[in-house]
Structure formats: C-alpha cells, structure tokens
Amino acid sequence: MEILLLLLYGLCLLFIFCYSLLQLNLTVLFLRSRKSAGKAFYPPPAEWPAVTVQLPIYNERFVVERLLEAVTALEFPREKLQIQVLDDSTDETVEIVAQKVAAYQAQGINISQVRRRNREGYKAGALKYGLYQATGEFIAIFDADFVPEPDFLKQTIPAFHKPEIGVVQTRWGHLNEESSLLTRLQAFGLDAHFSIEQSGRNFGGHFINFNGTAGVWRRQCIESAGGWESDTLTEDLDLSYRAQLKGWEFLYLENKVVPAELPADLPALKSQQYRWTKGAAETSRKHFKKLWQASIPAATRWHGLFHLLNSSVFISLFLASLLSLPLLFLQTNSESSAFILRSTGIFLTGFLLLSVYYFVSFRFAQPALPKRVFLFRFPLFLSVSMGLSLHNALAVSQGFLGLKTPFVRTPKYSLTGISGSWKTNPYRLSGLSLITLLEGMLAIAFWFSVFYGLMHEQYRFLFFHGMLAVGYSLVFYYSLRHSFTR
C-alpha cells in the first residue's frame, strides 16, 4: 500500500511538473513574440465584407442595455452590418430587448431579436439557430457582459488577410478588476492565459482556441468544421479544435482588448470554473485521439494535448494533496521518506517555473504596479486555485466520464470599477453544497497537518500543506459569506 501511495503521488507531481514545463515554454514563445509586437499591419479591405454580430443572451436584464448600446455604436458600413440578439431569456429581459431593438430599428439599424421555442443546445444551439438567418460572411460574437469599442470590427476584419484564417480572437479586459480581492485574483489568472498562452501558442504556430466571445469567425470556417455542437459545455473550444484539425488558421490580436465583467462572488466563479473545466475535459475526450493521430508537427501535437488536458491538473493537484496526508506520517529515516523529499523538490521546481510564467504576465499586464504586489498575488492566487481543486476535479472527472449536466450561465451584475453591488441581485447562485462542507473539512485537515509538522519537525509538506490550508479556508469562507450576504 505504501508503494502504491508513493507511486500515485509521484505520478501526480510529474504531471504537474510537465504542465509547468510547457507553461515555461509558452512564456519563452511569448517573450519572442513581443519582439515583433506591433509590427503587423493589416490594411482595410477595398470593400468591407458583410458582418453579422451575434449576441447570445439568457436572462441578462442588468447588462443587456449596455451591450446593445456598445454594439449599435460599432463603426462599420450600416448596409454591411447585421446584429442578432439571440435571446433565450425567460424573464423581463425579453421585454427590455424588444423595446431596445424596436428603438434601434427606428434609427435604421439592422438589428433583430431572435427567439427560439426552447433552449435546446443552450449557447451552442442559439448560435447555430442564428446562423441560419445570418447574412454576414464574418460572424462576430459577444457575451452579454462584454463592451466592445466602436473600432472593434475595423480592427479585426482586416486581420483576415489570408483566406486560411478562420478566426480572429482578441484579448479580454476587465471592467471590475478592482472591485475586490476575488476579482483581482481572477484578472491575474486570465491575463496569464490571454497574454502568455494565447500569444505564445499563436506565435509558435500551435493550436489556440476561440474564447467564446470577443472574437470573429469566418462563416465558411464554422460551416466547414461542422458547425456549433452542444455535446460539450465548451462549444467554443470544441469548434476551435475541429476547425484547426481541418487546416484552418487562427489569429490572436494581443493589442486589441475588449473589457468584460468578472464574477464578483465565489458561487458565480465556481459556476464558471465548473463549466470551463468540465467542458475542457469533455472536449479532450472528444478530440484527444484525433489530435494524437493528426498530421501536424510534434510540438503542436504536444502543446495541443496539454491544452486539452489543462483542466486535468486539478485532478493531479487534488489527488496529490490527499495522498500527502497519510504520507506525512511515514518514518523520516525510511527510503519512502527520501522519495517524498525528492518528489517535494519536483513540486517546488514546478512552483518556481509557474512563478516565472505568472511574473512575466504580471509585468506585461500591470506595468504600473510595483513588483512587490506580485509577491502577494501569486502565492494567494495559487492557494485559491488549490482551494478550488476539489470542486474543479469533480467537474473534470464528470467530463471524462461523459456525465451530462445542463449549461449554467455565469450571472452578471453590471459592475464596473468598484461601483455596483451584487448582494441583492436575483441572479445570484448559492454556494452551499456538500462540496462546500468538504472544502471546510479539508481546510481543517490541512491546518492540522501544518501544526503537526511544526510540532514534530516534519517539514516535508509544510509549504504544500500551508498553501492548501490557506486556499481551502478562503474558498470555504467566501462560499459561505457570499451565500448569506444580502
């Protein structure tokens, strides 16, 4: 049993270490891409093509007017622009949209409210349904909480400078980053994904993904790849891989930013994390074999495989944390103890590699902030990520097992800067569940292990367990606080 525990523990740490190595490689690619940043210039076409803007919404009465105001202000030839509000709402959002659409139509804007009989296929179903009525050669998509600037289409459409380019994706900004510690930590993680991962993969010629919003598709690319499918919770990642496996190229515009609202409370963040991590596992299950067998460069294959398996790091992290508890009590002079010490070295090395990855992202995204801020945010971000590992590991496991669950959208509250409140919002989700109780129990268990290690001079897991204790405590605390605060 001891050997089995050690083997599983070592394998979990090895996967995390390999993941960290690839993140470091993406960091190198990102730094190389910065040398040519800003040099690409895409002149406007001689004649602007027809564009359809799709706005998939569901019960978004607090943000839909802001969205419509931004989209109807897009600078583009009016006769070439079609706007579809793909409205699956079941509350007063329907009437709000109807009134606003009528007002914009009276101004000569080509905008329509598209309604379906049911929500079959959720967001993917709405996008597919709207495509039947779309007139554009290009399809721009914005979620309800995004606020594109007027020049968005004039910055992205020229980037389709080659017929092989099927998608142009832009970087997400943050409307309410400074509203709380939770939103600052989310921005910290998302900035790394968009700056390092998307830029690095794109510069290296590897597969990237359309992020579900703030991007533009060539309609021919959508149709040739088989269209939108709803058999995963991440229809954007699924279609991205189907398109790139068919030879389509994607382009990421790092310098074009579209701001959006970050989840303001932990239950909303958990809902978003559940959908993203489970959907990634479902997409991996769907495309892993195809990617492995594809005739693509080896580096692109490996980056793609780890991209699809990104969410699996939560399973490795959760298992490693659980296994480390009984391993804490092994004799300090045994061969097993020596193995644990070496394995702990692997964890610390991976931690250092990730610190480079996030530090580069932080310096690029927040150049005005002093470096000491990173010394606070990075370990705290990593601790909260560890605290979410139980929740996310269960979501990933369900995805790999093929267990189907409904698409639960992340509630939006119309927050900007430090203004606005989510506390009395009717769209709020509850964070109370069996998982919340287990997170509290794990917080107690890891605090006990920290004190045990200090009392018995067992320092092998002190750093690891300390971060887990802080992470689970914060996740448990905010789950309760955000569920009961009114």
Side-chain angles (χ1 to χ4, degrees), residues 232-252:
T232 74
L233 291 179
T234 47
E235 71 292 324
D236 46 5
L237 181 63
D238 170 38
L239 184 55
S240 295
Y241 266 76
R242 281 189 279 126
Q244 288 170 109
L245 285 170
K246 281 188 170 291
W248 287 96
E249 297 178 14
F250 283 24
L251 182 63
Y252 174 65

Side-chain angles (χ1 to χ4, degrees), residues 16-68:
I16 296 172
F17 178 72
C18 291
Y19 168 81
S20 302
L21 277 179
L22 257 73
Q23 300 306 91
L24 180 64
N25 179 250
L26 289 174
T27 305
V28 173
L29 289 173
F30 167 74
L31 292 174
R32 289 174 57 192
S33 74
R34 296 306 301 160
K35 295 180 181 179
S36 58
K39 295 181 180 179
F41 172 71
Y42 307 110
E47 182 178 352
W48 291 102
V51 175
T52 296
V53 177
Q54 293 187 324
L55 311 174
I57 66 171
Y58 173 71
N59 294 352
E60 305 285 7
R61 69 178 187 263
F62 297 104
V63 295
V64 69
E65 292 185 67
R66 182 181 67 186
L67 171 68
L68 293 177

